């Protein structure tokens, strides 16, 4: 049937279906199918190369929930979460500061956003030299200012390695959150601040009663990204420490990858991936309903 002979309603549906077919097909091939296959694989025992996959039921999940070492690494992820909270606070501070009429504010915005657009692997290698215990620039700086007692093996000390890595993550993503907050701040009408100033409100009260209620939804979004990002940390510990020293910097994702590729236990690794997905969904649900009061 020619397009011009169709009714307007039919033409509209044909156009909608035509535009949606390819995106939905790509979504099904690269998202839905892998997720369903991962769920099925989590109930099997497979070494990654054998043609047959033995069905083992919930044995992989029993292994996860009875092996304390698997969930122990989540304490390492918690360090990244705390670093994410600090990063959001600093990002909001810079956003408020750079939203004012500060000379050179555009240059500062670019400098703070620059780490986010850098490649994560490149950043990891760069900070490997910064944290080097023998010839690293950080220890050299501490020596030059007379703080030799602060010199550490930043990536070799199990007590501080996760804090060292979390600092890099916070440094990288702080600029991104700053830009998000800056956009939210610029959407607030200036008349509100002028009216508050006439009524005698200072900067703190203006932030508390105008700025914060206006950006609370953006803060919620940033916190959701912070939680999910902290649970899914992979690149920095994988590139910089390989989970060391003695597994002290291993995260849940690096442990999952190690289970699959080092120990050839793809069934257990798939189950770990499903558990991580459930944890992320559960944490986000609790955060929205309890902490953030479940706003629409």
């Amino acid at each position: 049937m020619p397009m011009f002979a169709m009714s307007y309603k039919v033409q509209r549906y044909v156009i909608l279906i035509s535009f949606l077919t390819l995106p939905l097909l790509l979504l099904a091939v690269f998202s839905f199918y892998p997720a369903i296959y991962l769920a099925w694989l989590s109930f099997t025992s497979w070494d990654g190369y054998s043609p047959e996959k033995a069905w083992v039921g919930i044995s992989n999940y029993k292994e996860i929930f009875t092996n304390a070492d698997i969930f122990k690494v989540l304490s390492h992820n918690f360090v990244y979460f705390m670093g994410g909270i600090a990063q959001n606070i600093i990002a909001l501070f810079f956003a408020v500061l750079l939203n004012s009429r500060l000379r050179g504010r555009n240059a500062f915005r670019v400098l703070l956003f620059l780490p986010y657009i850098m490649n994560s692997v490149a950043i990891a290698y760069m900070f490997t030299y910064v944290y080097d215990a023998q010839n690293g620039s950080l220890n050299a700086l501490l020596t030059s200012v007379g703080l030799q007692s602060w010199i550490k093996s930043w990536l070799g000390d199990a007590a501080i390695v996760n804090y060292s890595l979390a600092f890099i993550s916070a440094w990288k993503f702080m600029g991104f959150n700053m830009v998000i907050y800056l956009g939210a701040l610029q959407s607030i009408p200036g008349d509100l601040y002028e009216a508050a100033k006439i009524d005698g409100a200072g900067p703190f009260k203006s932030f508390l009663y105008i700025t914060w209620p206006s950006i609370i939804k953006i803060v919620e979004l940033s916190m959701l990204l912070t939680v999910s990002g902290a649970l899914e940390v992979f690149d920095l510990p994988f590139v910089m420490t390989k989970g060391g020293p003695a597994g002290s910097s291993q995260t849940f994702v690096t442990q999952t990858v190690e289970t699959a590729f080092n120990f050839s236990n793809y069934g257990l690794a798939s189950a770990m991936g499903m558990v991580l997905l459930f944890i992320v969904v559960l944490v986000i649900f609790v955060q929205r309903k309890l902490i953030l009061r479940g706003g629409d």
Side-chain angles (χ1 to χ4, degrees), residues 30-201:
F30 294 105
S31 294
F32 296 151
Y33 171 73
I36 295 172
Y37 186 73
L38 179 71
W40 175 78
L41 199 62
S42 67
F43 295 100
T44 66
S45 176
W46 184 45
D47 56 15
Y49 52 86
S50 299
E52 295 184 0
K53 304 174 181 65
W55 181 266
V56 295
I58 61 172
S59 297
N60 290 324
Y61 291 94
K62 287 182 178 179
E63 171 68 18
I64 293 173
F65 289 104
T66 56
N67 189 343
D69 291 335
I70 293 180
F71 280 103
K72 183 180 179 181
V73 297
L74 285 177
S75 62
H76 305 159
N77 291 81
F78 183 74
V79 177
Y80 292 90
F81 173 68
M82 297 303 296
I85 293 179
Q87 169 236 121
N88 274 274
I89 295 173
I90 298 172
L92 182 57
F93 169 77
F94 278 112
V96 173
L97 183 65
L98 296 178
N99 192 44
S100 61
R101 295 184 178 181
L102 182 69
R103 179 176 296 181
R105 61 183 181 274
N106 290 331
F108 283 112
R109 292 173 184 175
V110 172
L111 289 175
L112 291 173
F113 184 71
L114 187 61
Y116 177 72
I117 64 176
M118 294 176 64
N119 183 271
S120 296
V121 176
I123 290 176
Y125 278 113
M126 179 180 71
F127 272 91
T128 299
Y129 292 104
V130 172
Y131 285 147
D132 186 83
Q134 300 297 325
N135 303 308
S137 58
L138 179 55
N139 283 344
L141 175 64
L142 294 175
T143 302
S144 65
V145 296
L147 296 176
Q148 289 87 345
S149 60
W150 289 21
I151 291 178
K152 304 284 186 182
S153 178
W154 302 100
L155 299 179
D157 189 340
I160 62 173
V161 60
N162 289 306
Y163 296 96
S164 301
L165 296 175
F167 172 81
I168 303 173
S169 181
W171 176 78
K172 174 177 172 58
F173 290 100
M174 190 273 293
F176 171 77
N177 284 312
M178 181 205 67
V179 170
I180 297 297
Y181 289 139
L182 190 59
L185 292 173
Q186 292 179 345
S187 67
I188 303 174
D191 297 342
L192 295 177
Y193 292 103
E194 293 178 5
K197 188 176 182 180
I198 293 174
D199 290 338

Side-chain angles (χ1 to χ4, degrees), residues 172-240:
K172 174 177 172 58
F173 290 100
M174 190 273 293
F176 171 77
N177 284 312
M178 181 205 67
V179 170
I180 297 297
Y181 289 139
L182 190 59
L185 292 173
Q186 292 179 345
S187 67
I188 303 174
D191 297 342
L192 295 177
Y193 292 103
E194 293 178 5
K197 188 176 182 180
I198 293 174
D199 290 338
F204 178 75
K205 285 190 175 181
S206 295
F207 177 84
L208 188 62
Y209 294 106
I210 298 177
T211 304
W212 182 254
S214 300
I215 66 172
I216 185 64
K217 292 299 179 183
I218 305 301
V219 174
E220 175 184 352
L221 172 63
S222 295
M223 289 306 300
L224 292 178
L225 295 175
T226 297
V227 171
S228 59
L231 290 171
E232 299 167 3
V233 173
F234 170 73
D235 47 1
L236 291 177
F238 181 79
V239 174
M240 297 182 68

Side-chain angles (χ1 to χ4, degrees), residues 271-291:
M272 293 172 66
M274 294 301 299
V275 170
L276 179 61
L277 176 63
F278 175 77
I279 292 174
V280 171
V281 172
L282 179 62
V283 170
I284 290 176
F285 175 81
V286 171
Q287 183 181 24
R288 287 183 57 84
K289 294 300 180 182
L290 298 183
I291 301 176

